Every structure is written in structure tokens, then in C-alpha cells.
């Protein structure tokens, strides 16, 4: 580690002001940023902790029936509070280990946009809206590639709103050491169609599998995607699995997610 200043604002307005300092960086739960600092892959001079901002914590239903989750809400709190969206609650309950779930936040995960993280798949498959201190961003416009999002410098995720589907499920094939998704598939069925989002597989980060969406919108069953295949081209290939292997897993996990959807 190295020397840096720590600021602990009590409101979003104070945090936004603090982030205007040179080389300032927001700190959510720290599950990614702290290891990054230890390896000196990032060296901000000021860390702006968001953990003391109560206005961006909590889970509630909106007037139009969506599930609203504050950006500073921990994975454990999502797991216990998102009962109206069981697939999302179950996803949160299987992120990392208890230490990670009690510190990591949904806003931090979406801001980091790790290519193997779980929440990006949930947000994209749900057609969620990411609210910041400055604007609202549709999930389809938010994810721009591996570790890249539509967030501007100093912008803070204050809330994420999830339309609750008729049926949904998230299935991931875990990398056992990190518990990240080697591949993860989130399937969500709405009145106007089905959305399928894949994480952990593509070199471009989380993405929607449009061919499966079309098939499942016509026939929401495993049979609709039984013969569909995914090419290994453009898929992540590393010591944990080849691109072809990940492509195969996308199809397998999609069928399992459809079978598990409730």
C-alpha cells in the first residue's frame, strides 16, 4: 500500500464534491479496489468512502412495482431484502463468501463491471435502470465493454431499479477459488418477451444473447434452445477454460436457467 487521504462524506452531494479533487476515487465496499491498491495497479491520492451515505442504502418497491436498490446496499442486504425478485436475491446470496457479501455493494460491482461479475447479468437481463447523482441510464446503454461503463468521471451510482419479471433464474458455473462466474446466464421472462444476459464468457464483457431471446419469447422452454450453439470466437480463453468451452457452457446454462425459472 502507499499513502493516501481518506474522506468519509455523509451525503451524495458531499461525495460528489470530494470527487472533484485531483486523483480522487470513490470507494464502495472495496472488494475490488483495495486489492488493486495493494498491487499498485491504481494509486489515487484521495479515497472517497461511500459507506457512510445512508441515502444510497436499502431495498424497496417503487410505486410502479419495480424493485429499487440503493447503490450502497451490500450483497447480503440484497439477498435478504429482494424477496420480491427471488432470482436476484439468490444471485446476491451466492456472490463470493460471507466477508465479501457483507462489504461489497451492488453499486460498486456495477461501476467496476468485472467481466465475470454477477450483477451486470442481472441488470442487463432485467432491463434495469441505473440511477446516478446526475442522470438515469438504461442497462442496455450502460455496459460498454470489459471494465467499461457509461459512467462519467466522478459520477456515483445512487440506485438501481429492476422491473420484476414473471419468471427468472440465474445459473452460474463458478470458478471455485474466486467464486466469480466462469460463465453465468440470467434469464428473465416479461409480458413483452424474454431477456437473456451472459457474463463471464465474452471478451467484450456482459452481453445479451439475442438468438436465445427470440426463441424463448416464442416458446419459454428448454426445447426452444436445445439445439442452439454458441461459437467460441470472441470468448475468453484462459487457464480456467477455452473459448469453445465457455461457448458450450452458455448453451448449457441457458437451458438450466429456463428450467429453474420461477
Amino acid at each position: 500500500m502507499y499513502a493516501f487521504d481518506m474522506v468519509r462524506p455523509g451525503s451524495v452531494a458531499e461525495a460528489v464534491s470530494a470527487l472533484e479533487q485531483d486523483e480522487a476515487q470513490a470507494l464502495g465496499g472495496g472488494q475490488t479496489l483495495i486489492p488493486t491498491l495493494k498491487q499498485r495497479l491504481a494509486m489515487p491520492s484521495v479515497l472517497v468512502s461511500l459507506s457512510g451515505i445512508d441515502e444510497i442504502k436499502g431495498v424497496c418497491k417503487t410505486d410502479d412495482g419495480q424493485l429499487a436498490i440503493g447503490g450502497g446496499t451490500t450483497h447480503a442486504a440484497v439477498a435478504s431484502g429482494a424477496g420480491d425478485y427471488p432470482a436476484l436475491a439468490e444471485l446476491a446470496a451466492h456472490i463470493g463468501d460471507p466477508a465479501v457479501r457483507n462489504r461489497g455493494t451492488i453499486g460498486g460491482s456495477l461501476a467496476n463491471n468485472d467481466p465475470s461479475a454477477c450483477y451486470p447479468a442481472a441488470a442487463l437481463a432485467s432491463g434495469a435502470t441505473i440511477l446516478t447523482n446526475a442522470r438515469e441510464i438504461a442497462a442496455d446503454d450502460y455496459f460498454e465493454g470489459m471494465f467499461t461503463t457509461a459512467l462519467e468521471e466522478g459520477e456515483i451510482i445512487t440506485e438501481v431499479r429492476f422491473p420484476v419479471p414473471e419468471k427468472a433464474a440465474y445459473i452460474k458455473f463458478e470458478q471455485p477459488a474466486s467464486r466469480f462466474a466462469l460463465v453465468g446466464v440470467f434469464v428473465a421472462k416479461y409480458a413483452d418477451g424474454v431477456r437473456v444476459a451472459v457474463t463471464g464468457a465474452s471478451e467484450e464483457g456482459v452481453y445479451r444473447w439475442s438468438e436465445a431471446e427470440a426463441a424463448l419469447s416464442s416458446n419459454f422452454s428448454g426445447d426452444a434452445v436445445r439445439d442452439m450453439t454458441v461459437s467460441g470466437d470472441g470468448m475468453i480463453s484462459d487457464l480456467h477454460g477455452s473459448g469453445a468451452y465457455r461457448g458450450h457452457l452458455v448453451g448449457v446454462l441457458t437451458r438450466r436457467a429456463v428450467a429453474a425459472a420461477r
Side-chain angles (χ1 to χ4, degrees), residues 12-44:
V12 171
E14 291 177 3
V16 171
S17 178
L19 286 170
E20 293 175 353
Q21 301 177 68
D22 290 338
E23 297 184 15
Q25 187 164 349
L27 172 67
Q31 299 310 293
T32 298
L33 182 56
I34 296 302
T36 301
L37 296 180
K38 288 181 177 180
Q39 297 176 61
R40 295 184 179 248
L41 297 175
M43 299 179 66

Side-chain angles (χ1 to χ4, degrees), residues 129-151:
T129 302
I130 291 90
L131 283 67
T132 76
N133 56 291
R135 54 181 170 148
E136 299 182 4
I137 311 170
D140 285 326
D141 300 323
Y142 177 81
F143 301 102
E144 297 184 342
M146 193 179 292
F147 295 108
T148 307
T149 72
L151 290 177

Side-chain angles (χ1 to χ4, degrees), residues 13-244:
E14 291 177 3
V16 171
S17 178
L19 286 170
E20 293 175 353
Q21 301 177 68
D22 290 338
E23 297 184 15
Q25 187 164 349
L27 172 67
Q31 299 310 293
T32 298
L33 182 56
I34 296 302
T36 301
L37 296 180
K38 288 181 177 180
Q39 297 176 61
R40 295 184 179 248
L41 297 175
M43 299 179 66
S45 59
V46 180
L47 288 183
V48 181
S49 174
L50 308 181
S51 61
I53 305 177
D54 291 337
E55 64 188 279
I56 61 171
K57 298 179 182 179
V59 182
C60 67
K61 289 289 287 292
T62 64
D63 292 340
D64 60 357
Q66 295 189 71
L67 193 68
I69 303 176
T73 307
T74 65
H75 311 323
V78 174
S80 63
D84 289 315
Y85 195 163
L88 182 61
E90 188 169 355
L91 175 154
H94 290 88
I95 294 175
D97 55 26
V100 170
R101 291 192 290 273
N102 281 293
R103 290 295 304 173
T105 64
I106 184 171
S109 176
L110 291 175
N112 187 53
N113 191 23
D114 188 290
S116 296
C118 299
Y119 281 125
L124 194 56
S126 304
T129 302
I130 291 90
L131 283 67
T132 76
N133 56 291
R135 54 181 170 148
E136 299 182 4
I137 311 170
D140 285 326
D141 300 323
Y142 177 81
F143 301 102
E144 297 184 342
M146 193 179 292
F147 295 108
T148 307
T149 72
L151 290 177
E152 301 288 348
E153 194 73 25
E155 201 168 5
I156 296 171
I157 295 176
T158 57
E159 187 175 275
V160 188
R161 292 184 182 173
F162 292 88
V164 179
E166 297 173 354
K167 296 180 179 181
Y170 176 65
I171 303 293
K172 71 175 176 178
F173 191 91
E174 284 188 353
Q175 200 287 325
S178 67
R179 300 187 186 177
F180 271 105
L182 191 66
V183 174
V185 177
F186 200 112
V187 174
K189 181 181 184 298
Y190 291 90
D192 59 352
V194 177
R195 295 171 67 99
V196 179
V198 180
T199 188
S202 173
E203 293 175 346
E204 300 299 319
V206 66
Y207 72 96
R208 288 174 62 184
W209 187 13
S210 56
E211 293 85 358
E213 291 178 343
L216 291 169
S217 293
S218 298
N219 175 22
F220 192 73
S221 74
D223 291 337
V225 293
R226 185 172 304 282
D227 297 324
M228 297 183 69
T229 59
V230 177
S231 170
D233 294 341
M235 294 294 182
I236 297 170
S237 183
D238 56 21
L239 74 163
H240 302 299
S242 67

